[in-house]
């Protein structure tokens, strides 16, 4: 016993995928923008997302939306990183096809993971699926490399990129102001307070002591 708190698990394998509060599994991989070591992104927020397959309609719609929102993610200090089990040549061909067909440049790196090592570490493979394609996984990682939000969608349903942006902004607000965000919260909207912890606080807060709104702080 050292008396020190236990180190955060660097967690993650296909038997035991990482959970909220775990350190995001580290890796080095080839991407459409060169080699990437995930831990080098510490100091930035990161939205790591997997997609089932290149050259598919739902994934193409998501990539176009990610590209359109890329400046908004950059403004809040959040890096976008895509991943699928497809090869780098496939990723490069798909991004080039998106550019030539739709005039949209994909400005973030897309990781190749043909060995599925990264997908396994993050639990991005669906055991019940007929193929080894990754699910639509999203991992929001904070500036210390801690996983703060996880979201999984099936291959058949495209994600809302606006919603993912909202989640990162909500996490940043929670960290900055020590508050919580209510249902459907939008940046600048009222936040909620963590509940009172003493009888005096309950009494002075009034009958709705368990549900108190507060005006958002001006940035
Ligand atoms: C898609 O459209 O993104 C998709 C379609 C079938 C399987 C996987 C992905």
């Amino acid at each position: 016993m050292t008396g020190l708190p236990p180190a955060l698990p660097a967690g993650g394998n296909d038997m035991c995928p990482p959970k909220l509060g775990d350190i995001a599994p580290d890796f080095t991989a080839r991407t459409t923008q060169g080699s990437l070591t995930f831990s080098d992104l510490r100091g930035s927020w990161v939205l790591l997302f997997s997609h089932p397959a290149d050259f598919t309609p739902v994934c193409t719609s998501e990539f176009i939306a990610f590209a359109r929102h890329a400046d908004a993610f950059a403004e809040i200090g959040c890096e976008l990183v895509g991943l699928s089990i497809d090869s780098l040549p496939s990723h490069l061909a798909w991004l080039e096809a998106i550019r030539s067909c739709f005039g949209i440049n994909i400005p973030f790196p897309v990781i190749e993971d043909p060995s599925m090592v990264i997908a396994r570490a993050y639990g991005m493979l669906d055991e019940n699926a007929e193929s080894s394609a990754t699910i639509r996984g999203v991992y929001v990682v904070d500036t210390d490399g801690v996983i703060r939000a996880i979201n999984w969608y099936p291959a058949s349903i495209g994600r809302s990129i606006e919603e993912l942006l909202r989640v990162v902004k909500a996490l940043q607000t929670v960290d900055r102001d020590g508050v919580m965000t209510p249902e459907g919260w939008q940046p600048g909207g009222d936040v909620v307070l963590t509940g009172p912890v003493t009888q005096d606080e309950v009494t002075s807060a009034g009958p709705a002591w368990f549900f108190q709104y507060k005006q958002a702080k001006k940035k």
Side-chain angles (χ1 to χ4, degrees):
M1 293 286 285
T2 61
L4 296 170
L8 281 171
N13 58 59
D14 48 359
M15 304 300 291
C16 182
K19 303 176 297 304
L20 297 183
D22 285 351
I23 294 288
D26 196 17
F27 58 82
T28 297
R30 291 204 307 174
T31 85
T32 50
Q33 296 184 0
S35 175
L36 172 75
T37 296
F38 196 67
S39 54
D40 286 349
L41 298 175
R42 292 263 171 96
S44 295
W45 286 77
V46 183
L47 195 133
L48 172 67
F49 63 97
S50 59
H51 66 277
D54 296 350
F55 292 103
T56 52
V58 179
C59 297
T60 302
S61 71
E62 289 186 334
F63 266 57
I64 289 172
F66 271 121
R68 290 191 168 134
H69 287 81
D71 286 349
F73 281 98
E75 270 168 30
I76 59 168
C78 183
E79 302 280 343
L80 296 172
V81 181
L83 176 147
S84 83
I85 62 166
D86 297 285
S87 68
L88 183 59
S90 169
H91 286 340
L92 292 171
W94 183 39
L95 300 197
E96 178 55 19
I98 292 174
R99 192 194 62 73
S100 63
C101 295
F102 307 111
I104 290 173
N105 179 46
I106 301 300
F108 49 82
V110 185
I111 295 166
E112 69 159 3
D113 188 27
S115 65
M116 298 184 276
V117 168
I118 304 166
R120 287 212 169 90
Y122 279 82
M124 290 166 172
L125 296 170
D126 181 353
E127 277 177 20
N128 300 318
E130 284 166 10
S131 80
S132 55
T134 42
I135 45 106
R136 294 186 199 283
V138 176
Y139 301 78
V140 180
V141 179
D142 72 15
T143 54
D144 295 324
V146 176
I147 296 179
R148 300 291 300 279
I150 298 174
N151 148 336
W152 284 5
Y153 275 35
S156 50
I157 297 178
R159 293 161 282 201
S160 160
I161 310 312
E162 279 284 337
E163 169 62 5
L164 299 178
L165 185 60
R166 189 188 76 91
V167 168
V168 180
K169 288 181 177 178
L171 286 165
Q172 293 178 340
T173 299
V174 164
D175 285 4
R176 190 187 64 230
D177 300 342
V179 294
M180 300 188 294
T181 61
E183 185 281 330
W185 176 87
Q186 292 294 333
D190 288 350
V191 293
V192 289
L193 301 176
T194 53
V197 290
T198 66
Q199 191 68 47
D200 281 350
E201 286 172 1
V202 169
T203 306
S204 62
W209 55 269
F210 51 90
F211 186 33
Q212 294 188 80
Y213 272 90
K214 184 180 147 189
Q215 275 197 333
K217 272 192 194 157
K218 295 269 181 296
K219 273 204 266 179

